[in-house]
Amino acid sequence: MQNQPPDALFTSWQPLAEAGRVPLLLIRHGRTAANLERRFVGKSDVPLDEVGLRQAELLARRLRDLPRAALYCSPLSRARQTAAALGPPQPVEGLQELDQGAFEGHRGEAMMAAYPEIFEGWLSDPTHVRIPGGETLGECRDRAMSALIAVLEAHVPGPPVLVVAHQMVLATLILSAQGRPLRLVREVKQGNTAVNLMSWGPGGLQVHRLNDTAHLDADPTSGS
């Protein structure tokens, strides 16, 4: 059997810690039935489906030997279940998904027909577009960033801090770390159980590796 190349997640965090930064693995939750059906789920508390549970298992297998400083997650079930595969997580309220108000539980096509002006604004620049009964993307970014910084400031450079959250939360945090506007949110792709290597230190958040789903690639049951 040929030797496998070293996993980049295992080799990339140590130089960050040695440079005085707090390494961060920012992870998206596994798949849900609502993801598969392309429904808005936001703050709706839906569980992982069978594929999502398998994805979480494969993620845990990949990260089994990775040292960690702590494990945090959104309080929503799909994030908690994904994180629980890695170990006992600490839920953080501010990391829950974008509140999608009247859209919650509905398919995209139906909401586009019912709220065309909302979608027009969202496609142009979603930063300040308020979903009826929900929140703006900018509000989601601000409270998620405050929650994440509070978590990271409790740690010193060393093994990575692991955080499991959601598509919109991750996308807004990544864009902010890159100094890019939220209107580019659709450009930030995050597969289920995707891992992003980031770090916290002087100059704020930095991004080092995005949307890594290598743990799913060789398993036909993972939905990758």
Side-chain angles (χ1 to χ4, degrees):
M1 181 182 296
Q2 292 183 338
N3 291 330
Q4 296 296 314
D7 191 323
L9 295 180
F10 285 72
T11 58
S12 300
W13 70 265
Q14 291 172 312
L16 298 173
E18 291 166 0
R21 304 187 64 80
V22 177
L24 166 67
L25 295 187
L26 197 58
I27 302 167
R28 188 185 177 203
H29 62 78
R31 199 184 81 175
T32 69
N35 293 151
L36 185 62
E37 297 168 0
R38 304 188 68 81
R39 294 182 184 273
F40 293 102
V41 286
K43 286 189 176 180
S44 299
D45 199 12
V46 299
L48 299 180
D49 65 10
E50 184 176 343
V51 168
L53 291 169
R54 177 60 176 163
Q55 291 171 336
E57 178 187 343
L58 293 169
L59 172 70
R61 184 183 301 174
R62 180 184 184 187
L63 301 184
R64 178 177 53 209
D65 297 324
L66 180 76
R68 70 185 67 162
L71 172 61
Y72 300 91
C73 68
S74 155
L76 295 176
S77 294
R78 55 197 187 272
R80 286 191 290 107
Q81 287 179 287
T82 304
L86 303 170
Q90 300 178 55
V92 177
E93 191 72 22
L95 294 174
Q96 61 190 324
E97 181 61 303
L98 172 72
D99 185 346
Q100 301 194 43
F103 292 5
E104 297 275 349
H106 295 283
R107 293 181 185 271
E109 318 87 76
M111 293 299 95
M112 288 180 69
Y115 299 95
E117 70 288 349
I118 297 293
F119 280 88
E120 182 179 349
W122 184 272
L123 291 174
S124 175
D125 185 352
T127 307
H128 304 296
V129 176
R130 184 173 303 282
I131 299 171
E135 64 183 335
T136 69
L137 195 62
E139 289 169 344
C140 173
R141 184 267 320 276
D142 292 346
R143 50 97 171 154
M145 183 65 79
S146 294
L148 182 63
I149 289 174
V151 161
L152 294 173
E153 286 185 336
H155 295 278
V156 297
V161 175
L162 275 57
V163 174
V164 181
H166 307 269
Q167 166 71 34
M168 288 301 176
V169 167
L170 270 59
T172 61
L173 293 172
I174 289 166
L175 286 171
S176 296
Q178 294 175 324
R180 303 168 72 202
L182 293 186
R183 62 181 173 79
L184 302 178
V185 68
R186 289 178 296 147
E187 295 184 6
V188 183
K189 307 301 183 184
Q190 293 286 290
N192 288 114
T193 65
V195 182
N196 304 280
L197 176 63
M198 303 174 68
S199 67
W200 169 256
L205 278 177
Q206 293 181 3
V207 178
H208 308 285
R209 188 176 185 84
L210 287 176
N211 197 29
D212 184 335
T213 57
H215 49 284
L216 306 182
D217 291 347
D219 193 297
T221 68
S222 68
S224 60

